[in-house]
Amino acid sequence: MVERSTLVDYCNELLQSDAFQDYCPNGLQVEGAGQVQRLVTGVTASQALVDAAVDAGAQMLLVHHGYFWKGEPAAVTGIKQRRLKALLGADMNLLAYHLPLDVHAELGNNAQLAKLMGWNVLGGLEPDNPRSVGLYGELPEALDGATLAAHMATVLQREPLHIAGNDRPIKRIAWCTGAAQGYIERAIALGADAYVTGEVSEPTVHAARENGIHFFAAGHHATERYGVKALGEHLAERFGLEHQFIDIDNPV
């Protein structure tokens, strides 16, 4: 067992959560048991994940997408009431990290995606920002767009949407997990041959075609499984916790 406060303080310091202006509170969002032995991690604190964590007997649920987003209704009704009721009824802590978990140089979503795909990181997608959300780098060897799409589908277990802005091979690549399709302009400015993110918007297709860059929408959920899983594994090893990553299927 480890004290809840020890885990929370460690995560806050490790991810430097106080340094971010985010769309939601980072850190402890719902207070539960004072001691933690079993940790469940997952991408989003949906009802399905909360219920699975309860069934697993977890004292803490750690996610990338938690609650209390800016602009959402404040009233505790509907799905918000049901999710909170389940957490509080199980005396379960909810710990959530959004941007801090995207950015971390080792455990972050973008770093973990690069590790999984075998991409070499060269720097941040925002060169002047030491906490750049996205990254850029190079493939170990140049690939055509179709081959990279097939490799992505195999590794991420989801078929990506591929917009082929040209027929040239891909060597220099930029990426930002989640809903970061608007960052394609930053990838273009860095001279990337391809840009990878989770989601796509209608203007993104035109931007890719007219600027001659490959674009891949590989799935918001599919690109953001790996940071929270890596963090959970790290905590389990450091504090001797039982850890289970639970993947709630989401095609988006």
Side-chain angles (χ1 to χ4, degrees):
M1 288 260 183
V2 62
E3 293 289 331
R4 174 192 62 234
S5 59
T6 300
L7 277 178
V8 173
D9 290 347
Y10 178 80
C11 288
N12 287 344
E13 183 176 354
L14 175 69
L15 301 177
Q16 298 183 314
S17 58
D18 289 343
F20 292 84
Q21 295 294 319
D22 211 336
Y23 311 103
C24 61
N26 288 297
L28 186 64
Q29 291 190 340
V30 178
E31 185 175 289
Q35 292 190 319
V36 177
Q37 177 59 45
R38 184 167 296 175
L39 171 69
V40 164
T41 57
V43 178
T44 298
S46 63
Q47 188 70 59
L49 181 59
V50 171
D51 291 344
V54 172
D55 290 343
Q59 293 85 38
M60 179 173 283
L61 175 59
L62 170 61
V63 298
H64 179 48
H65 301 137
Y67 301 156
F68 314 116
W69 299 88
K70 289 181 181 178
E72 75 174 28
V76 181
T77 59
I79 65 172
K80 180 186 285 188
Q81 185 270 350
R82 293 191 291 273
R83 292 172 175 181
L84 291 174
K85 182 179 180 181
L87 286 166
L88 294 169
D91 199 23
M92 190 187 306
N93 297 283
L94 176 64
L95 193 59
Y97 294 96
H98 185 232
L99 289 180
L101 194 55
D102 287 321
V103 168
H104 194 272
E106 179 185 352
L107 301 174
N109 284 319
N110 288 289
Q112 288 293 312
L113 180 62
K115 181 179 179 180
L116 193 70
M117 293 296 301
W119 300 338
N120 301 314
V121 177
L122 296 178
L125 190 55
E126 307 163 281
D128 298 328
N129 183 0
R131 296 186 178 88
S132 176
V133 177
L135 300 171
Y136 77 92
E138 289 185 343
L139 305 185
E141 59 178 325
L143 299 175
D144 62 67
T147 301
L148 180 56
H151 179 53
M152 212 174 293
T154 299
V155 173
L156 302 183
Q157 302 170 18
R158 181 191 185 278
E159 194 76 29
L161 171 69
H162 173 211
I163 305 300
N166 62 68
D167 57 2
R168 297 187 298 276
I170 298 165
K171 180 67 173 177
R172 189 176 178 89
I173 189 167
W175 64 96
C176 186
T177 64
Q181 55 268 48
Y183 276 24
I184 190 173
E185 300 294 343
R186 297 181 185 273
I188 293 165
L190 286 170
D193 302 313
Y195 177 60
V196 180
T197 187
E199 298 187 20
V200 63
S201 296
E202 195 271 348
T204 317
V205 176
H206 303 297
R209 289 172 176 168
E210 294 175 31
N211 285 283
I213 185 173
H214 290 272
F215 172 79
F216 299 87
H220 194 139
H221 180 87
T223 58
E224 294 198 326
R225 290 187 186 108
Y226 308 105
V228 71
K229 183 173 184 287
L231 178 57
E233 291 169 350
H234 173 80
L235 294 174
E237 181 177 358
R238 182 174 181 87
F239 294 101
L241 300 173
E242 299 172 24
H243 169 241
Q244 181 181 1
F245 173 75
I246 297 178
D247 189 25
I248 303 298
D249 179 63
N250 188 328
V252 172

